[in-house]
Amino acid sequence: MDAEIPRAEELNIPQALLLLATNDKDGQPAVPHVVLKVALAGAILAELDLLGAIELQGKHVRATGATPQTDFQHQLELIRDTSRPHTPKRWVSMLESRAELHRVYEGMAALGIVDHVGERHLGLFRTTRYPEKNHAPEAALLKGVEAALRGGASDPRTTALTALLYSAELLGKIFPAADQGHARELANDYWPSRAVAGELRMIRLAEAEAAT
């Protein structure tokens, strides 16, 4: 593998989640953008938690005072500088962002993991897709998540990623034949994945009410 391409364990959680959530060939996400934005927000919280920059204290997310190097400095500063603490679900809602979605994708394109493919429709509207360019990082991620689904030993990053994929309803699309029982337990035990599930539940309730 090209030395410039990062290994799977070198990807941050948001990068890993988007890589697994995106179709290798056509570069389209496997879930609607509204779901992907929520999942990405949860993945950012997970990344900051794994870096020791934030933690759940009671019902609220708080900064720890640690200042690790991170691609998500902006989000960390928001949490650190907030006038009052918020719940994980509230932070997921606040951190949802289409711009952040594209920023993470573009970061992977710069690393040579995915391609940036732009399409212009009627000369006016531009859509962007991110098909896979180098399969090695995703292959390693898939191997790790598959092992976690079987209840095998996994590192904290793989455990967090598996829990988030379950809450975003992506595991069934990636591993349609796998038993998701262990992943359900992981998701229920991990506060960022519970926040993702809670926010998606509220979005669906709002959509159902609007449709009646």
Side-chain angles (χ1 to χ4, degrees), residues 44-81:
I44 292 170
L45 292 177
E47 178 69 16
L48 294 175
D49 177 56
L50 288 168
L51 290 174
I54 64 173
E55 63 184 7
L56 185 66
Q57 296 182 8
K59 296 182 178 180
H60 299 114
V61 178
R62 298 181 187 271
T64 63
T67 56
Q69 291 290 325
T70 175
D71 288 340
F72 306 99
Q73 189 65 36
H74 172 66
Q75 290 86 350
L76 176 55
E77 289 176 359
L78 285 176
I79 296 172
R80 182 183 294 138
D81 297 339

Side-chain angles (χ1 to χ4, degrees), residues 1-11 15 111-113 134 136-137:
M1 182 170 64
D2 192 325
E4 294 183 355
I5 302 295
R7 297 188 300 272
E9 62 269 22
E10 296 173 327
L11 297 179
Q15 289 172 332
L111 292 170
I113 300 172
N134 186 299

Side-chain angles (χ1 to χ4, degrees), residues 6-158:
R7 297 188 300 272
E9 62 269 22
E10 296 173 327
L11 297 179
N12 58 51
I13 298 297
Q15 289 172 332
L17 183 136
L18 289 192
L19 188 59
L20 292 180
T22 306
N23 185 280
D24 296 349
K25 293 184 173 20
D26 64 22
Q28 296 285 3
V31 292
H33 272 87
V34 64
V35 176
L36 203 59
K37 288 190 299 181
V38 170
L40 180 64
I44 292 170
L45 292 177
E47 178 69 16
L48 294 175
D49 177 56
L50 288 168
L51 290 174
I54 64 173
E55 63 184 7
L56 185 66
Q57 296 182 8
K59 296 182 178 180
H60 299 114
V61 178
R62 298 181 187 271
T64 63
T67 56
Q69 291 290 325
T70 175
D71 288 340
F72 306 99
Q73 189 65 36
H74 172 66
Q75 290 86 350
L76 176 55
E77 289 176 359
L78 285 176
I79 296 172
R80 182 183 294 138
D81 297 339
T82 185
S83 59
R84 61 186 180 88
H86 298 297
T87 64
K89 180 180 168 300
R90 177 59 178 156
W91 274 117
V92 164
S93 177
M94 293 172 67
L95 296 179
E96 292 174 39
S97 167
R98 181 175 289 269
E100 190 64 21
L101 198 63
H102 287 292
R103 189 180 77 87
V104 176
Y105 271 127
E106 289 296 329
M108 288 195 290
L111 292 170
I113 300 172
V114 299
D115 267 328
H116 173 124
V117 178
E119 296 179 348
R120 190 173 294 278
H121 300 281
L122 303 177
L124 296 173
F125 301 103
R126 188 175 181 84
T127 60
T128 306
R129 298 179 292 108
Y130 296 94
E132 189 173 81
K133 185 176 182 179
N134 186 299
H135 185 63
E138 182 180 16
L141 289 172
L142 289 170
K143 184 178 180 180
V145 172
E146 187 174 22
L149 287 174
R150 294 197 301 267
S154 62
D155 61 276
R157 288 187 167 273
T158 301

Side-chain angles (χ1 to χ4, degrees), residues 164-179:
L164 289 163
L165 290 170
Y166 177 85
S167 292
E169 299 178 0
L170 280 160
L171 272 182
K173 300 179 184 298
I174 302 169
F175 299 102
D179 182 354

